[in-house]
mmCIF file of all heavy atoms in Angstrom:
data_model
loop_
_atom_site.group_PDB
_atom_site.id
_atom_site.type_symbol
_atom_site.label_atom_id
_atom_site.label_comp_id
_atom_site.label_asym_id
_atom_site.label_seq_id
_atom_site.Cartn_x
_atom_site.Cartn_y
_atom_site.Cartn_z
ATOM 1 N N GLN A 1 -11.243 8.748 3.105
ATOM 2 C CA GLN A 1 -11.352 10.140 3.547
ATOM 3 C C GLN A 1 -12.069 10.962 2.481
ATOM 4 O O GLN A 1 -11.575 11.142 1.369
ATOM 5 C CB GLN A 1 -9.962 10.724 3.813
ATOM 6 C CG GLN A 1 -9.252 10.101 4.997
ATOM 7 C CD GLN A 1 -10.013 10.321 6.300
ATOM 8 O OE1 GLN A 1 -10.227 11.459 6.713
ATOM 9 N NE2 GLN A 1 -10.435 9.233 6.930
ATOM 10 N N GLY A 2 -13.229 11.454 2.815
ATOM 11 C CA GLY A 2 -14.026 12.216 1.858
ATOM 12 C C GLY A 2 -14.823 11.296 0.951
ATOM 13 O O GLY A 2 -14.560 10.104 0.839
ATOM 14 N N ILE A 3 -15.804 11.848 0.299
ATOM 15 C CA ILE A 3 -16.676 11.084 -0.600
ATOM 16 C C ILE A 3 -16.008 10.978 -1.963
ATOM 17 O O ILE A 3 -15.561 11.971 -2.535
ATOM 18 C CB ILE A 3 -18.060 11.767 -0.726
ATOM 19 C CG1 ILE A 3 -18.745 11.804 0.641
ATOM 20 C CG2 ILE A 3 -18.919 11.044 -1.761
ATOM 21 C CD1 ILE A 3 -20.025 12.609 0.652
ATOM 22 N N LYS A 4 -15.929 9.763 -2.467
ATOM 23 C CA LYS A 4 -15.355 9.535 -3.786
ATOM 24 C C LYS A 4 -16.467 9.290 -4.798
ATOM 25 O O LYS A 4 -17.445 8.593 -4.512
ATOM 26 C CB LYS A 4 -14.412 8.330 -3.765
ATOM 27 C CG LYS A 4 -13.222 8.472 -2.816
ATOM 28 C CD LYS A 4 -12.275 9.566 -3.258
ATOM 29 C CE LYS A 4 -11.022 9.613 -2.385
ATOM 30 N NZ LYS A 4 -11.296 9.933 -0.977
ATOM 31 N N SER A 5 -16.296 9.894 -5.975
ATOM 32 C CA SER A 5 -17.235 9.716 -7.074
ATOM 33 C C SER A 5 -16.641 8.762 -8.099
ATOM 34 O O SER A 5 -15.417 8.556 -8.148
ATOM 35 C CB SER A 5 -17.521 11.069 -7.727
ATOM 36 O OG SER A 5 -18.058 10.912 -9.017
ATOM 37 N N TYR A 6 -17.493 8.211 -8.939
ATOM 38 C CA TYR A 6 -17.009 7.368 -10.026
ATOM 39 C C TYR A 6 -16.070 8.147 -10.939
ATOM 40 O O TYR A 6 -15.207 7.576 -11.609
ATOM 41 C CB TYR A 6 -18.188 6.794 -10.822
ATOM 42 C CG TYR A 6 -18.970 7.814 -11.625
ATOM 43 C CD1 TYR A 6 -18.698 8.019 -12.976
ATOM 44 C CD2 TYR A 6 -19.986 8.565 -11.045
ATOM 45 C CE1 TYR A 6 -19.408 8.949 -13.717
ATOM 46 C CE2 TYR A 6 -20.705 9.488 -11.773
ATOM 47 C CZ TYR A 6 -20.410 9.685 -13.112
ATOM 48 O OH TYR A 6 -21.124 10.610 -13.846
ATOM 49 N N ARG A 7 -16.229 9.487 -10.956
ATOM 50 C CA ARG A 7 -15.350 10.316 -11.788
ATOM 51 C C ARG A 7 -13.933 10.390 -11.218
ATOM 52 O O ARG A 7 -12.989 10.739 -11.932
ATOM 53 C CB ARG A 7 -15.910 11.738 -11.909
ATOM 54 C CG ARG A 7 -17.243 11.837 -12.654
ATOM 55 C CD ARG A 7 -17.599 13.292 -12.870
ATOM 56 N NE ARG A 7 -18.888 13.454 -13.522
ATOM 57 C CZ ARG A 7 -20.048 13.563 -12.883
ATOM 58 N NH1 ARG A 7 -20.057 13.535 -11.547
ATOM 59 N NH2 ARG A 7 -21.178 13.704 -13.537
ATOM 60 N N ASP A 8 -13.772 10.105 -9.917
ATOM 61 C CA ASP A 8 -12.450 10.154 -9.280
ATOM 62 C C ASP A 8 -11.613 8.909 -9.583
ATOM 63 O O ASP A 8 -10.423 8.875 -9.247
ATOM 64 C CB ASP A 8 -12.591 10.275 -7.754
ATOM 65 C CG ASP A 8 -13.302 11.547 -7.340
ATOM 66 O OD1 ASP A 8 -13.029 12.591 -7.964
ATOM 67 O OD2 ASP A 8 -14.126 11.488 -6.410
ATOM 68 N N LEU A 9 -12.247 7.913 -10.165
ATOM 69 C CA LEU A 9 -11.570 6.638 -10.385
ATOM 70 C C LEU A 9 -11.084 6.524 -11.831
ATOM 71 O O LEU A 9 -11.725 7.066 -12.740
ATOM 72 C CB LEU A 9 -12.510 5.474 -10.044
ATOM 73 C CG LEU A 9 -13.114 5.503 -8.640
ATOM 74 C CD1 LEU A 9 -13.952 4.256 -8.409
ATOM 75 C CD2 LEU A 9 -12.047 5.636 -7.583
ATOM 76 N N PRO A 10 -9.954 5.881 -12.048
ATOM 77 C CA PRO A 10 -9.130 5.175 -11.065
ATOM 78 C C PRO A 10 -8.298 6.135 -10.214
ATOM 79 O O PRO A 10 -7.828 7.157 -10.707
ATOM 80 C CB PRO A 10 -8.217 4.305 -11.923
ATOM 81 C CG PRO A 10 -8.087 5.065 -13.211
ATOM 82 C CD PRO A 10 -9.406 5.732 -13.417
ATOM 83 N N LEU A 11 -8.124 5.776 -8.941
ATOM 84 C CA LEU A 11 -7.258 6.504 -8.025
ATOM 85 C C LEU A 11 -6.071 5.611 -7.718
ATOM 86 O O LEU A 11 -6.216 4.530 -7.160
ATOM 87 C CB LEU A 11 -8.011 6.858 -6.744
ATOM 88 C CG LEU A 11 -7.201 7.581 -5.661
ATOM 89 C CD1 LEU A 11 -6.678 8.915 -6.170
ATOM 90 C CD2 LEU A 11 -8.058 7.791 -4.406
ATOM 91 N N ARG A 12 -4.868 6.087 -8.105
ATOM 92 C CA ARG A 12 -3.654 5.275 -7.960
ATOM 93 C C ARG A 12 -2.819 5.861 -6.826
ATOM 94 O O ARG A 12 -2.228 6.940 -6.991
ATOM 95 C CB ARG A 12 -2.870 5.257 -9.266
ATOM 96 C CG ARG A 12 -3.707 4.847 -10.482
ATOM 97 C CD ARG A 12 -2.882 4.878 -11.773
ATOM 98 N NE ARG A 12 -3.748 4.682 -12.930
ATOM 99 C CZ ARG A 12 -4.192 5.657 -13.709
ATOM 100 N NH1 ARG A 12 -3.854 6.922 -13.443
ATOM 101 N NH2 ARG A 12 -4.965 5.398 -14.734
ATOM 102 N N LEU A 13 -2.760 5.162 -5.692
ATOM 103 C CA LEU A 13 -2.001 5.617 -4.525
ATOM 104 C C LEU A 13 -0.708 4.817 -4.427
ATOM 105 O O LEU A 13 -0.732 3.581 -4.399
ATOM 106 C CB LEU A 13 -2.819 5.440 -3.242
ATOM 107 C CG LEU A 13 -4.139 6.220 -3.171
ATOM 108 C CD1 LEU A 13 -4.823 5.960 -1.832
ATOM 109 C CD2 LEU A 13 -3.908 7.716 -3.362
ATOM 110 N N TYR A 14 0.415 5.536 -4.343
ATOM 111 C CA TYR A 14 1.740 4.907 -4.329
ATOM 112 C C TYR A 14 2.444 5.245 -3.022
ATOM 113 O O TYR A 14 2.307 6.346 -2.497
ATOM 114 C CB TYR A 14 2.581 5.422 -5.496
ATOM 115 C CG TYR A 14 4.011 4.914 -5.491
ATOM 116 C CD1 TYR A 14 4.338 3.709 -6.106
ATOM 117 C CD2 TYR A 14 5.021 5.622 -4.861
ATOM 118 C CE1 TYR A 14 5.644 3.232 -6.095
ATOM 119 C CE2 TYR A 14 6.333 5.157 -4.841
ATOM 120 C CZ TYR A 14 6.634 3.959 -5.458
ATOM 121 O OH TYR A 14 7.916 3.481 -5.450
ATOM 122 N N GLU A 15 3.231 4.276 -2.504
ATOM 123 C CA GLU A 15 4.012 4.532 -1.301
ATOM 124 C C GLU A 15 5.292 3.712 -1.320
ATOM 125 O O GLU A 15 5.264 2.508 -1.586
ATOM 126 C CB GLU A 15 3.214 4.172 -0.038
ATOM 127 C CG GLU A 15 3.994 4.409 1.249
ATOM 128 C CD GLU A 15 3.162 4.226 2.511
ATOM 129 O OE1 GLU A 15 2.014 3.750 2.409
ATOM 130 O OE2 GLU A 15 3.666 4.573 3.590
ATOM 131 N N ASN A 16 6.419 4.387 -1.027
ATOM 132 C CA ASN A 16 7.630 3.655 -0.676
ATOM 133 C C ASN A 16 7.468 3.286 0.791
ATOM 134 O O ASN A 16 7.958 3.977 1.682
ATOM 135 C CB ASN A 16 8.870 4.528 -0.901
ATOM 136 C CG ASN A 16 9.181 4.684 -2.377
ATOM 137 O OD1 ASN A 16 9.187 3.711 -3.121
ATOM 138 N ND2 ASN A 16 9.422 5.911 -2.812
ATOM 139 N N GLY A 17 6.743 2.210 1.011
ATOM 140 C CA GLY A 17 6.255 1.890 2.350
ATOM 141 C C GLY A 17 7.163 0.945 3.105
ATOM 142 O O GLY A 17 7.408 -0.188 2.671
ATOM 143 N N CYS A 18 7.653 1.389 4.252
ATOM 144 C CA CYS A 18 8.494 0.553 5.116
ATOM 145 C C CYS A 18 7.609 -0.403 5.908
ATOM 146 O O CYS A 18 6.683 0.026 6.607
ATOM 147 C CB CYS A 18 9.311 1.427 6.051
ATOM 148 S SG CYS A 18 10.399 0.487 7.143
ATOM 149 N N CYS A 19 7.871 -1.700 5.803
ATOM 150 C CA CYS A 19 7.054 -2.731 6.453
ATOM 151 C C CYS A 19 7.955 -3.654 7.283
ATOM 152 O O CYS A 19 9.165 -3.718 7.083
ATOM 153 C CB CYS A 19 6.303 -3.563 5.412
ATOM 154 S SG CYS A 19 5.161 -2.610 4.396
ATOM 155 N N HIS A 20 7.324 -4.363 8.227
ATOM 156 C CA HIS A 20 8.040 -5.318 9.071
ATOM 157 C C HIS A 20 7.284 -6.640 9.081
ATOM 158 O O HIS A 20 6.060 -6.650 9.254
ATOM 159 C CB HIS A 20 8.149 -4.811 10.512
ATOM 160 C CG HIS A 20 9.052 -3.624 10.674
ATOM 161 N ND1 HIS A 20 8.673 -2.344 10.322
ATOM 162 C CD2 HIS A 20 10.323 -3.537 11.144
ATOM 163 C CE1 HIS A 20 9.679 -1.515 10.581
ATOM 164 N NE2 HIS A 20 10.681 -2.208 11.080
ATOM 165 N N ARG A 21 8.022 -7.731 8.905
ATOM 166 C CA ARG A 21 7.437 -9.067 9.006
ATOM 167 C C ARG A 21 8.341 -9.927 9.880
ATOM 168 O O ARG A 21 9.561 -9.914 9.730
ATOM 169 C CB ARG A 21 7.248 -9.698 7.623
ATOM 170 C CG ARG A 21 6.215 -8.950 6.788
ATOM 171 C CD ARG A 21 5.975 -9.544 5.433
ATOM 172 N NE ARG A 21 5.076 -8.689 4.665
ATOM 173 C CZ ARG A 21 4.783 -8.864 3.374
ATOM 174 N NH1 ARG A 21 5.316 -9.879 2.710
ATOM 175 N NH2 ARG A 21 3.968 -8.036 2.762
ATOM 176 N N ASN A 22 7.712 -10.684 10.763
ATOM 177 C CA ASN A 22 8.461 -11.444 11.770
ATOM 178 C C ASN A 22 8.928 -12.775 11.193
ATOM 179 O O ASN A 22 8.392 -13.838 11.493
ATOM 180 C CB ASN A 22 7.583 -11.664 13.000
ATOM 181 C CG ASN A 22 8.375 -12.156 14.188
ATOM 182 O OD1 ASN A 22 9.582 -12.330 14.110
ATOM 183 N ND2 ASN A 22 7.704 -12.382 15.293
ATOM 184 N N GLU A 23 9.956 -12.694 10.352
ATOM 185 C CA GLU A 23 10.526 -13.896 9.745
ATOM 186 C C GLU A 23 11.392 -14.631 10.771
ATOM 187 O O GLU A 23 12.080 -13.999 11.581
ATOM 188 C CB GLU A 23 11.388 -13.517 8.539
ATOM 189 C CG GLU A 23 10.655 -12.750 7.442
ATOM 190 C CD GLU A 23 9.826 -13.648 6.556
ATOM 191 O OE1 GLU A 23 9.765 -14.865 6.840
ATOM 192 O OE2 GLU A 23 9.225 -13.145 5.597
ATOM 193 N N PRO A 24 11.399 -15.974 10.756
ATOM 194 C CA PRO A 24 12.282 -16.718 11.661
ATOM 195 C C PRO A 24 13.747 -16.367 11.409
ATOM 196 O O PRO A 24 14.139 -16.122 10.260
ATOM 197 C CB PRO A 24 12.004 -18.187 11.301
ATOM 198 C CG PRO A 24 10.703 -18.175 10.576
ATOM 199 C CD PRO A 24 10.593 -16.860 9.899
ATOM 200 N N HIS A 25 14.556 -16.370 12.462
ATOM 201 C CA HIS A 25 15.968 -16.024 12.318
ATOM 202 C C HIS A 25 16.650 -16.897 11.270
ATOM 203 O O HIS A 25 17.454 -16.412 10.474
ATOM 204 C CB HIS A 25 16.689 -16.165 13.659
ATOM 205 C CG HIS A 25 16.344 -15.077 14.633
ATOM 206 N ND1 HIS A 25 17.098 -14.821 15.761
ATOM 207 C CD2 HIS A 25 15.335 -14.169 14.657
ATOM 208 C CE1 HIS A 25 16.569 -13.815 16.425
ATOM 209 N NE2 HIS A 25 15.492 -13.416 15.783
ATOM 210 N N GLY A 26 16.336 -18.185 11.279
ATOM 211 C CA GLY A 26 17.010 -19.102 10.361
ATOM 212 C C GLY A 26 16.647 -18.898 8.907
ATOM 213 O O GLY A 26 17.340 -19.391 8.022
ATOM 214 N N ALA A 27 15.559 -18.173 8.646
ATOM 215 C CA ALA A 27 15.130 -17.950 7.263
ATOM 216 C C ALA A 27 15.727 -16.683 6.666
ATOM 217 O O ALA A 27 15.627 -16.457 5.465
ATOM 218 C CB ALA A 27 13.600 -17.871 7.201
ATOM 219 N N LEU A 28 16.351 -15.846 7.496
ATOM 220 C CA LEU A 28 16.888 -14.573 7.017
ATOM 221 C C LEU A 28 18.089 -14.830 6.108
ATOM 222 O O LEU A 28 18.891 -15.722 6.348
ATOM 223 C CB LEU A 28 17.286 -13.692 8.198
ATOM 224 C CG LEU A 28 16.148 -13.367 9.180
ATOM 225 C CD1 LEU A 28 16.690 -12.597 10.375
ATOM 226 C CD2 LEU A 28 15.036 -12.581 8.492
ATOM 227 N N HIS A 29 18.207 -14.003 5.061
ATOM 228 C CA HIS A 29 19.285 -14.223 4.093
ATOM 229 C C HIS A 29 19.668 -12.899 3.445
ATOM 230 O O HIS A 29 19.058 -12.473 2.466
ATOM 231 C CB HIS A 29 18.845 -15.221 3.021
ATOM 232 C CG HIS A 29 19.894 -15.484 1.976
ATOM 233 N ND1 HIS A 29 21.030 -16.225 2.231
ATOM 234 C CD2 HIS A 29 19.987 -15.105 0.684
ATOM 235 C CE1 HIS A 29 21.763 -16.300 1.129
ATOM 236 N NE2 HIS A 29 21.151 -15.613 0.181
#
């Protein structure tokens, strides 16, 4: 989003990101 310049770097983006992965039932622990 928007034009980034070399002066903008490094850009460190952080997220407490909720994710889902379809693990087999038998592998859950």
Side-chain angles (χ1 to χ4, degrees):
Q1 293 298 299
I3 298 173
K4 299 294 185 297
S5 161
Y6 69 96
R7 295 188 183 90
D8 298 320
L9 305 183
L11 178 61
R12 307 179 189 100
L13 299 181
Y14 175 88
E15 179 173 9
N16 286 313
C18 181
C19 299
H20 291 77
R21 294 181 186 172
N22 193 0
E23 302 281 4
H25 287 196
L28 301 175
H29 179 72

